[in-house]
Amino acid sequence: MENSNNNSEDSPILLTDSIISSLKTCKLIKKHEAPINNISINTDGSLYLTSGNDSTINIYSIKQNDIIRHLVNKKYGCEKAIFTHHTNAVLCASKTDYRIMYWCTHNNQILYSFLGHSDLITDLTMNPFNDLFLSTSNDKTSRLWDLNKKKCLCIFQDSQCATFDNTGKVLASVTYKLDKETERYENFINLYNIEKPEGINDTNRPFDVFSIKSSGYIKKIKFTNNGDYLIAITDYYLYIIDAVEGKILHENEINDEINNFDITPDGKYIGLACASGNVIIYNDKGKLIKTLEFHTKNCECLAFNPRYLIMVSADNNLVFWIPEEQKQ
């Protein structure tokens, strides 16, 4: 991550516990009239996208220090919108008929809709290196789509969450079963090779499966950028998992309901967005670094900028955080 005050020629800043601990609010954007349900940041870190329950999308530019696009979709609503690899196009899930819209932000036109889910879409994820993307829904499926071919390549049944690894060649889909006697969940992280996506179909079997036992089901999972760890959350637990062996390295019970999380680009810190409004940050060793108290309402999501030393979090408003030393 680079210092937000520096240009692209500057060397990255090494994140430390003290830098993370010094995060302070520096800007508040009040544009949405209802809770923000997702934050997405483009690859070079210059643009922020927020989708809200008020059926709007806002795109904020760091360079212009302002909102540069305000898009409204009352017909379908806006759920979990994300940037694609194309500068003027986003993916946005509908709240009404659960379509996924490929939306041109330049002329505010829906170019194409991906149909198939039968319930609310809970997550959208772009492949880091190509135009494949994942969607997960309350219909208990995750779907792998090809943006260029405009079709679904594979449906992963009984999947409550899914993600790509840092190479874009491995897909992880999480399923679970509940032991009714012990009320414990056994989560299965199913790993698939998608290096040749045209060969993926519903009969493919994972090349490896990790078993994670917990008091709740895993509702979101991500690989760190270096590929070393899998980070997973249940409602009240944070798990740091060895991405090669599938062993739990650290298990942390959180005294707050976890809505969402993100990982710093170096993979060393995990930020948790919580129902109390707090943002709780742990390091990759499972150590609590800081609890940030600012939001007075449910904090639905947060994100770390991939290039600049900025964190953002959201309730109805988008809040920017930078280290204290940068505010001086």
Side-chain angles (χ1 to χ4, degrees):
M1 297 171 74
E2 294 177 359
N3 188 315
S4 61
N5 294 328
N6 294 347
N7 59 40
S8 60
E9 299 299 321
D10 293 332
S11 58
I13 289 177
L14 179 64
L15 290 180
T16 63
D17 291 1
S18 61
I19 289 176
I20 293 296
S21 295
S22 73
L23 286 171
K24 303 291 182 182
T25 59
C26 66
K27 189 176 182 67
L28 176 68
I29 298 178
K30 299 181 178 181
K31 191 69 175 178
H32 288 280
E33 296 179 357
I36 293 169
N37 55 53
N38 204 50
I39 302 168
S40 180
I41 307 174
N42 72 338
T43 304
D44 69 8
S46 63
L47 298 176
Y48 289 80
L49 178 155
T50 56
S51 53
N53 294 339
D54 55 0
S55 300
T56 67
I57 287 175
N58 291 315
I59 298 178
Y60 173 86
S61 168
I62 286 182
K63 295 178 181 178
Q64 298 183 33
N65 195 29
D66 201 1
I67 300 287
I68 59 171
R69 293 283 187 278
H70 176 69
L71 309 174
V72 182
N73 192 333
K74 293 296 184 181
K75 181 177 181 179
Y76 295 113
C78 300
E79 183 73 23
K80 307 297 182 188
I82 61 171
F83 280 112
T84 67
H85 295 304
H86 305 281
T87 305
N88 293 319
V90 303
L91 288 169
C92 179
S94 163
K95 281 182 172 291
T96 55
D97 62 359
Y98 318 121
R99 67 179 60 211
I100 302 166
M101 298 166 282
Y102 184 48
W103 191 342
C104 177
T105 61
H106 178 68
N107 59 14
N108 195 20
Q109 295 295 313
I110 306 300
L111 303 179
Y112 187 80
S113 289
F114 296 85
L115 303 174
H117 283 298
S118 59
D119 206 335
L120 188 71
I121 292 169
T122 57
D123 203 14
L124 290 172
T125 306
M126 280 299 305
N127 188 291
F129 294 107
N130 57 44
D131 283 335
L132 300 182
F133 71 92
L134 280 165
S135 60
T136 301
S137 167
N138 283 341
D139 63 15
K140 296 184 179 179
T141 69
S142 290
R143 294 175 180 244
L144 177 66
W145 307 84
D146 189 315
L147 187 58
N148 290 326
K149 295 181 179 179
K150 300 182 176 64
K151 69 176 185 178
C152 179
L153 300 179
C154 186
I155 301 173
F156 299 91
Q157 301 291 344
D158 300 318
S159 175
Q160 70 262 27
C161 59
T163 192
F164 298 105
D165 80 334
N166 56 306
T167 70
K169 298 177 181 179
V170 173
L171 184 153
S173 171
V174 183
T175 59
Y176 72 86
K177 67 179 181 181
L178 173 64
D179 186 325
K180 294 182 179 180
E181 292 186 2
T182 64
E183 295 186 347
R184 295 278 292 177
Y185 289 81
E186 185 171 11
N187 297 274
F188 302 98
I189 303 174
N190 305 279
L191 301 177
Y192 299 86
N193 188 334
I194 58 165
E195 190 168 2
K196 296 180 179 179
E198 65 275 7
I200 297 293
N201 59 59
D202 296 351
T203 64
N204 284 109
R205 293 185 177 182
F207 68 81
D208 205 351
V209 180
F210 301 152
S211 174
I212 305 295
K213 294 182 179 179
S214 64
S215 59
Y217 68 87
I218 291 175
K219 62 182 184 180
K220 191 175 182 69
I221 193 166
K222 286 185 179 182
F223 286 87
T224 55
N225 284 342
N226 57 17
D228 290 345
Y229 306 124
L230 275 160
I231 310 300
I233 57 168
T234 66
D235 282 340
Y236 294 98
Y237 278 85
L238 166 68
Y239 292 92
I240 301 173
I241 304 162
D242 185 299
V244 176
E245 298 183 358
K247 295 180 179 179
I248 296 175
L249 302 176
H250 304 284
E251 178 182 2
N252 294 88
E253 184 176 6
I254 311 300
N255 190 28
D256 203 339
E257 184 176 355
I258 310 168
N259 290 322
N260 212 326
F261 75 94
D262 197 20
I263 311 165
T264 54
D266 61 2
K268 292 184 177 180
Y269 297 93
I270 304 110
L272 307 176
C274 297
S276 67
N278 289 345
V279 173
I280 305 174
I281 302 179
Y282 281 81
N283 68 12
D284 60 357
K285 307 303 180 187
K287 176 185 175 183
L288 174 63
I289 303 301
K290 187 76 172 182
T291 298
L292 302 171
E293 299 178 354
F294 181 82
H295 296 282
T296 58
K297 300 178 181 178
N298 182 34
C299 181
E300 182 67 28
C301 45
L302 64 80
F304 291 100
N305 192 295
R307 185 173 176 185
Y308 301 99
L309 218 171
I310 304 171
M311 182 184 76
V312 287
S313 58
D315 44 26
N316 285 37
N317 306 313
L318 184 65
V319 179
F320 287 72
W321 303 78
I322 62 173
E324 180 68 25
E325 61 187 42
Q326 291 184 210
K327 295 183 67 178
Q328 299 173 357

